[in-house]
Amino acid sequence: MSEDVQAKDTCTAGCIADGATSTSERFLIKVSDDLPTLEECHSFVNLPSCGAISSFTGITRDNFQGKTVNHLSYEGYVPMAEKELRKLCDEATTKFPSIGKIAAVHILGDCPVGSASVILCASSPHRKEAMHCVEFLIDELKAKVPIWKMEVYEGDDGRVWKENIEWKEGKPKRVMVRQD
């Protein structure tokens, strides 16, 4: 690959060419009860220099271990959660330098079955970095960003505060605390 082609595939060259010169222009970060749509996140990361956009959308499912889920409810301290998301986006663009833009948004409050609780999008000149970036972001978001999830069940099954899976010594560990 020539140096000219390599330069076009780097994030810095692509972002400057597309007008995004600072992290505030490069990242869409929001933790709120009012999320942008997947289409809005996709539109934000779309750059002429990028041939790939990868996305992940976490959706509230209707069941967990034989119980019917009514909804999820998320709580968090917005300034700290957004600061941690920004750090993750910075880490991601260091780890995956060809990334053009990132959208990382998470809901607070109630999230009904079938609705999005988290949307992550990343653009890059080629597909692999965008796909790996989004995978990195969701794994790290669940491990590091201070957002807490309560699963609310139908009927007398109550509600449970759920801690995201943490990786310790290569093994997943999940902690659940029943709330009556």
Side-chain angles (χ1 to χ4, degrees), residues 22-174:
S22 71
T23 58
S24 63
E25 295 172 334
R26 201 168 170 203
F27 304 148
L28 169 60
I29 295 171
K30 188 170 185 180
V31 176
S32 170
D33 62 352
D34 180 35
L35 288 188
T37 65
L38 174 61
E39 292 77 20
E40 289 168 326
C41 292
H42 185 278
S43 181
F44 174 82
V45 301
N46 194 3
L47 293 170
S49 63
C50 292
I53 294 175
S54 184
S55 66
F56 171 82
T57 304
I59 305 291
T60 301
R61 64 178 175 269
D62 68 358
N63 68 86
F64 181 76
Q65 295 183 344
K67 296 179 203 163
T68 301
V69 174
N70 180 280
H71 67 277
L72 301 178
S73 186
Y74 292 91
E75 291 185 14
Y77 179 57
V78 173
M80 184 181 286
E82 288 182 347
K83 179 180 176 184
E84 289 302 312
L85 275 176
R86 185 167 305 287
K87 278 195 218 175
L88 290 181
C89 291
D90 284 333
E91 285 179 42
T93 55
T94 298
K95 187 174 177 83
F96 307 104
S98 74
I99 295 300
K101 285 187 171 185
I102 295 174
V105 300
H106 200 296
I107 198 165
L108 288 184
D110 291 346
C111 187
V113 169
S115 295
S117 57
V118 61
I119 301 171
L120 301 167
C121 295
S123 60
S124 66
H126 306 286
R127 71 181 178 273
K128 283 196 179 193
E129 287 227 327
M131 291 176 0
H132 292 307
C133 178
V134 168
E135 180 181 29
F136 168 81
L137 287 168
I138 190 60
D139 289 345
E140 294 298 307
L141 181 153
K142 288 185 156 280
K144 295 179 180 175
V145 177
I147 296 173
W148 299 276
K149 173 172 71 175
M150 179 184 286
E151 202 162 76
V152 180
Y153 307 109
E154 287 188 3
D156 294 332
D157 287 331
R159 54 187 71 218
V160 174
W161 282 106
K162 299 184 88 170
E163 187 174 21
N164 287 314
I165 291 177
E166 299 284 344
W167 291 96
K168 290 200 177 222
E169 300 170 9
K171 297 177 185 172
K173 177 183 175 187
R174 182 176 292 245

